């Protein structure tokens, strides 16, 4: 407990072990002994780093020295992995981008064929242009305007709502040579198509929607190509993941550190781990044999 300059007391906590120091030392020793027995590592190899490669089911025991520390070993491994990790990150970004594009095209394809979607609005627009034959100039202008406007996937503005209302008023009365039943059907379809437009999100710079069967065929072709590109990119990602296999990388790094590969040196005859264990340690220096002869 310390006094704050302003007179208020402030409590500061210090790190405290939940158990006694002797008990912590005993627990760490017990875990280390269990790992040593599990991998069958002899005392002669300690200190060492144990690296497990689960995909290949291999274990590497790397002997540590004053020159080869755990930090230095991990740093060399990370340096060796960086080119492969960069390829993986690039491949993952390309896969994510292609998946996003594919989802966007699939959404456009689905929206195009829904009720009063782009395909329906395109048909209604063509019906409206055909019905405009034989009417006065103002009605023709409104018909051509709304038929073009139905193809744009964004809500109507206030002024456009007023123009659409004026056209709906004309359709309530006599409209060229269009029979009453067809006129009422066209009016009903136009109202629903406009309501559909007004329910869309107003997103600027959106790509044009497919509004004809030919446009839909183009979208289907784009979908097929997008799926093929995605499969190719996913295959490349799997290849990049396989290229970063840990076993050859560990062998290369330890070879560069001057460590030799041993298969049984420093290992106990019995161990619980059934996977192959490879020892990578500095070669032992043999003392020169010195013999003395009597003169």
């Amino acid at each position: 407990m310390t006094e704050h300059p302003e007179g208020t007391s402030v409590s500061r906590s210090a790190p405290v072990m939940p158990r006694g120091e002797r008990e912590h030392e005993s627990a760490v020793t017990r875990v280390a002994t269990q790992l040593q027995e599990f991998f069958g590592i002899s005392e002669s190899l300690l200190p060492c780093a144990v690296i497990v490669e689960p995909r290949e089911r291999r274990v590497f025991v790397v002997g540590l020295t004053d020159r080869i520390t755990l930090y230095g070993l991990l740093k060399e491994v990370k340096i060796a992995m960086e080119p492969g990790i960069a390829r993986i990150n690039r491949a993952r970004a390309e896969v994510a981008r292609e998946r996003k594009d594919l989802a966007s095209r699939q959404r456009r394809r689905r929206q195009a064929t829904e009720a009063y979607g782009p395909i329906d609005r395109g048909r209604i627009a063509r019906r409206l242009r055909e019905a405009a034959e034989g009417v006065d100039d103002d009605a023709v202008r409104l018909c051509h305007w709304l038929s073009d406007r139905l193809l744009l996937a964004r809500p109507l503005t206030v002024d456009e709502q007023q123009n659409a209302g004026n056209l709906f008023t004309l359709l309530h009365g006599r409209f060229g040579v269009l029979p009453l039943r067809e006129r009422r059907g066209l009016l009903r379809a136009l109202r629903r198509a406009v309501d559909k437009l007004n329910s869309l999100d107003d997103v600027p710079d959106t790509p044009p929607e497919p509004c004809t069967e030919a446009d839909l065929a183009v979208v289907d072709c784009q979908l097929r190509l997008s799926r093929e590109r995605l499969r190719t990119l996913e295959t490349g990602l799997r290849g990049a993941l396989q290229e970063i296999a840990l076993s050859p990388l560990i062998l290369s790094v330890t070879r560069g550190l001057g460590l030799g590969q041993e298969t049984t040196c420093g290992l106990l005859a019995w161990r619980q781990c059934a996977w192959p264990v490879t020892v990578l340690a500095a070669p032992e220096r043999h003392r020169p044999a010195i013999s003395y002869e009597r003169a």
Side-chain angles (χ1 to χ4, degrees):
M1 183 80 70
T2 60
E3 291 294 329
H4 196 270
E6 297 178 357
T8 58
S9 59
V10 179
S11 60
R12 295 179 179 176
S13 61
V16 178
M17 292 188 297
R19 305 279 183 174
E21 184 177 352
R22 191 74 59 90
E23 189 172 352
H24 273 265
E25 290 179 355
S26 176
V28 171
T29 302
R30 185 168 59 252
V31 171
T33 301
Q34 290 173 350
L35 287 172
Q36 183 181 348
E37 293 176 351
F38 180 83
F39 291 109
I41 298 172
S42 171
E43 288 283 344
S44 62
L45 278 176
L46 301 181
C48 65
V50 179
I51 303 173
V52 179
E53 167 56 284
R55 288 191 302 179
E56 299 183 19
R57 299 194 172 191
R58 294 186 64 181
V59 179
F60 297 93
V61 179
V62 183
L64 301 177
T65 63
D66 292 339
R67 183 177 64 86
I68 303 174
T69 63
L70 180 60
Y71 173 80
L73 174 65
L74 296 178
K75 181 178 180 180
E76 292 298 326
V77 171
K78 186 177 184 300
I79 291 173
M81 292 177 67
E82 283 177 345
I85 291 175
R87 286 193 296 271
I88 289 173
N89 290 338
R90 183 168 56 251
R92 281 177 173 163
E94 291 174 349
V95 167
R97 185 164 53 249
E98 191 60 40
R99 283 176 178 170
K100 183 178 180 180
D101 292 343
L102 177 60
S104 176
R105 291 189 177 96
Q106 288 175 332
R107 184 170 58 254
R108 290 182 60 209
R109 177 65 170 81
R110 187 170 55 253
Q111 291 174 346
T113 54
E114 66 183 3
Y116 293 94
I119 296 294
D120 277 354
R121 296 203 306 271
R123 294 194 187 102
I124 295 169
R126 289 190 293 274
R127 284 177 56 192
L128 182 59
R129 279 185 173 273
E130 293 171 358
E133 300 295 333
V135 297
D136 58 74
D137 292 342
D138 288 339
V140 169
R141 180 182 57 80
L142 287 174
C143 289
H144 287 186
W145 164 79
L146 186 56
S147 64
D148 292 337
R149 185 61 181 81
L150 289 176
L151 306 182
L152 301 179
R154 61 172 183 267
L156 272 65
T157 64
V158 176
D159 291 339
E160 289 174 336
Q161 292 277 19
Q162 182 64 42
N163 289 335
N166 293 337
L167 180 58
F168 296 159
T169 301
L170 291 175
L171 283 172
H172 272 294
R174 185 176 177 84
F175 195 82
V177 295
L178 196 65
L180 176 62
R181 184 175 180 180
E182 292 185 20
R183 186 172 72 245
R184 288 178 176 176
L186 178 59
L187 177 61
R188 185 166 53 250
L190 284 171
R191 287 187 182 276
R192 290 176 179 175
V194 169
D195 289 341
K196 177 64 177 180
L197 281 180
N198 290 331
S199 67
L200 298 177
D201 295 330
D202 191 4
V203 180
D205 299 328
T206 54
E209 292 182 308
C211 57
T212 65
E213 297 296 339
D215 294 336
L216 203 59
V218 172
V219 172
D220 289 338
C221 180
Q222 292 174 344
L223 277 172
R224 185 174 63 256
L225 294 176
S226 183
R227 292 190 183 99
E228 292 175 358
R229 282 195 300 269
L230 181 58
R231 283 193 293 268
T232 302
L233 292 173
E234 288 175 338
T235 301
L237 175 58
R238 287 192 294 270
L241 289 170
Q242 292 174 356
E243 288 177 2
I244 203 171
L246 193 58
S247 294
L249 188 143
I250 293 297
L251 294 174
S252 174
V253 167
T254 53
R255 192 182 306 116
L257 293 174
L259 302 182
Q261 181 176 346
E262 303 285 347
T263 52
T264 57
C265 177
L267 297 179
L268 301 178
W270 180 89
R271 61 175 180 266
Q272 290 179 285
C273 180
W275 295 354
V277 179
T278 302
V279 176
L280 301 162
E284 295 183 0
R285 293 183 178 180
H286 299 284
R287 294 181 179 179
I290 302 176
S291 60
Y292 297 92
E293 296 181 1
R294 290 179 182 240

